Amino acid sequence: MEMFSASFHQKLTEANSSFQATDTYAQSVVISVERGMEECKHQFLWEPWGCPKSSFSIFSRSNKNPATKEMAFLHAMISSSIVITLTRNCSQGDFKSCGCDVSKKGGMAGYKGWHWGGCSDHVKIGNRMAKHFLDNKENGRDIRALINLHNNRVGRMVVKKNMRRMCKCHGVSGSCEMQTCWMRVQDIRTIGDRLKEAYNNAQLFSSNSNGYNIPTIQMRRLDNSIPQLQTPEKLKIPKQQLAYLDLSPNYCIANESLGIPGTIGRICSKEDGKRISKAEKKSCRTLCRKCGHRVSIKNTVIERTCKCKFHWCCNVKCKTCVDQVTQYTCAAREH
C-alpha cells in the first residue's frame, strides 16, 4: 500500500471542501479505496480486464471514464469498501465523532431468548460518508453521471442489505437461555462476491431499451442525490441492479489511450481440483487463446520460508525451502 502523506489530505480536502471532518476520515478513505481495488483485482483475476490500478482515482472526476459494465462494478465495489471500512472504524472507536448504533440496545418485543447488546455497526454513518466522498466526484448532470451515482448507491445498499446478526450465549453451563446479539457488516470478500453476481446480471441501458425511459439530461439536487420525480424523466433502474451505458472495449489488446494493459504477460493457471474455480481452470483459454495469444511455459525456482519452529524463549527459527514451479503466461504468437 502506498505511503499515506499530507498531500493526500490536501487533495481530498480540496475535493470535499464542504465536509468539515474530511481530514479525520481521509486515511480511512484511501485505505478503503485500496482494499476495494484489491478485491476488484481478486474478482477479475482470471478475466481479460483484470481491474488495473489505473481504472480508478479518488481525485479525478468519473466522467472521464466510459460507463462500461466493468466500471459499474468498480464504482459499486469502491463504494461498498468505503462503507465497510468507515463503519468498522466507528465501531472500533477510531473516530470521536461516531460510534456504535445506539438504536440496537435492550430487549425486543416479541423476540424471546435474545436482546440487543454489544456494539452494533452503525452502517448508516458509513453510508453517509461513502455517499459524500464518492458522489461529489460526479460533477456532470447528464445520464452518465446519474448511472455512476446509481452504481455508487448499489454498493452502499449491498452492504446494508447483507449485514449479519452475531450472538453470544448466556446461561448455566452454556445452556444459551439468553443471547446478546449485535449487527456486523459483512467482510469485503462476501460483498465482492455479491457484486460480482450483480455484474453478471448488469443491464445495458439506453433511451429505448427494455422499456426504461432514460433521459439525456436530468436535474440533480444540490446534495448530488437523484430526484425521485413522478414524471416520465424519472430514472427507472431497479435499486440493486448495476447499470451501464457503454459496451466494453477489447481488453485483450493493449491500448494506452484507454488505459488497457492487454493480456500479454498475464499469468494463467493449470491448477485442477474441486477447490479450484471454473474461471481459474479456464484461465489460460480465457486470457491467452481467446485473445489470440499463445501460452508460454516456463520452469522457475522460488524460495519460501518453511519448517518454522518455536524455540523457548522467544525465537522462531525457519528454514528456506526451494520449490521448482511451472509458470504459465500469455505471450504474443510467433510469426
Side-chain angles (χ1 to χ4, degrees):
M1 187 175 293
E2 296 178 356
M3 183 66 70
F4 183 75
S5 65
S7 62
F8 176 83
H9 284 288
Q10 184 179 357
K11 289 181 180 180
L12 199 58
T13 301
E14 290 172 355
N16 297 274
S17 57
S18 63
F19 195 43
Q20 295 179 351
T22 291
D23 194 63
T24 303
Y25 306 117
Q27 187 170 5
S28 286
V29 171
V30 74
I31 289 173
S32 59
V33 170
E34 290 284 348
R35 287 175 178 170
M37 289 299 299
E38 289 172 4
E39 181 59 27
C40 179
K41 281 183 172 294
H42 168 79
Q43 295 292 338
F44 288 86
L45 180 62
W46 307 118
E47 298 184 34
W49 178 46
C51 195
K53 189 175 181 180
S54 59
S55 300
F56 183 88
S57 171
I58 193 68
F59 306 118
S60 62
R61 299 294 182 181
S62 299
N63 56 8
K64 296 181 180 180
N65 299 319
T68 60
K69 187 178 180 181
E70 290 72 30
M71 289 308 299
F73 173 89
L74 187 53
H75 271 265
M77 190 72 253
I78 297 296
S79 179
S80 63
S81 182
I82 294 176
V83 174
I84 293 170
T85 302
L86 270 68
T87 299
R88 294 299 298 135
N89 285 150
C90 288
S91 296
Q92 293 165 6
D94 296 332
F95 306 135
K96 295 180 180 179
S97 57
C98 63
C100 306
D101 186 353
V102 295
S103 68
K104 290 180 171 55
K105 292 287 185 181
M108 292 281 289
Y111 288 82
K112 294 183 178 180
W114 69 274
H115 65 273
W116 289 121
C119 177
S120 288
D121 286 342
H122 204 334
V123 72
K124 288 184 179 179
I125 293 180
N127 280 352
R128 189 160 64 243
M129 294 175 183
K131 184 179 189 305
H132 178 87
F133 279 106
L134 280 190
D135 287 7
N136 275 349
K137 285 166 54 66
E138 305 301 330
N139 62 343
R141 293 184 177 273
D142 58 4
I143 183 58
R144 190 175 304 276
L146 290 177
I147 289 292
N148 290 338
L149 288 171
H150 168 79
N151 292 324
N152 288 348
R153 186 169 59 185
V154 170
R156 299 193 300 267
M157 186 172 295
V158 167
V159 177
K160 184 178 179 181
K161 294 291 185 182
N162 285 277
M163 291 188 73
R164 51 181 174 160
R165 191 179 77 186
M166 304 183 71
C167 298
K168 180 180 180 181
C169 284
H170 306 281
V172 180
S173 301
S175 62
C176 207
E177 295 177 359
M178 176 60 70
Q179 295 184 69
T180 298
C181 302
W182 59 94
M183 296 298 290
R184 280 283 181 267
V185 292
Q186 288 281 6
D187 60 275
I188 197 169
R189 178 56 43 82
T190 299
I191 298 302
D193 291 342
R194 298 286 188 276
L195 288 175
K196 189 63 185 298
E197 293 173 6
Y199 165 84
N200 292 330
N201 295 304
Q203 180 64 58
L204 174 64
F205 285 88
S206 67
S207 58
N208 296 313
S209 68
N210 305 304
Y212 290 95
N213 181 12
I214 297 186
T216 304
I217 301 293
Q218 178 167 325
M219 295 297 292
R220 287 160 50 189
R221 295 194 184 105
L222 294 178
D223 64 353
N224 268 337
S225 62
I226 301 173
Q228 300 299 313
L229 302 177
Q230 298 301 320
T231 69
E233 286 78 28
K234 182 180 177 181
L235 192 62
K236 298 178 181 178
I237 303 178
K239 289 183 178 180
Q240 297 188 52
Q241 183 173 40
L242 291 177
Y244 64 104
L245 295 174
D246 304 316
L247 296 176
S248 301
N250 183 358
Y251 293 118
C252 294
I253 309 301
N255 187 322
E256 187 175 350
S257 63
L258 295 177
I260 300 173
T263 60
I264 289 181
R266 288 277 295 275
I267 295 175
C268 62
S269 174
K270 291 283 188 178
E271 294 291 329
D272 201 0
K274 292 182 178 180
R275 295 187 177 183
I276 306 300
S277 67
K278 290 182 180 179
E280 182 175 349
K281 290 178 182 179
K282 299 189 298 182
S283 60
C284 287
R285 181 173 60 181
T286 302
L287 298 176
C288 305
R289 298 189 184 96
K290 281 189 174 182
C291 286
H293 311 315
R294 64 184 177 88
V295 178
S296 174
I297 304 174
K298 180 181 178 181
N299 293 319
T300 186
V301 173
I302 61 171
E303 293 183 350
R304 61 181 176 86
T305 301
C306 63
K307 299 179 181 178
C308 296
K309 290 185 178 180
F310 177 77
H311 294 269
W312 185 266
C313 174
C314 301
N315 296 314
V316 177
K317 293 184 178 180
C318 301
K319 294 183 178 181
T320 299
C321 293
V322 177
D323 295 330
Q324 185 171 352
V325 298
T326 302
Q327 194 174 66
Y328 303 90
T329 58
C330 300
R333 290 189 180 277
E334 298 175 349
H335 298 287

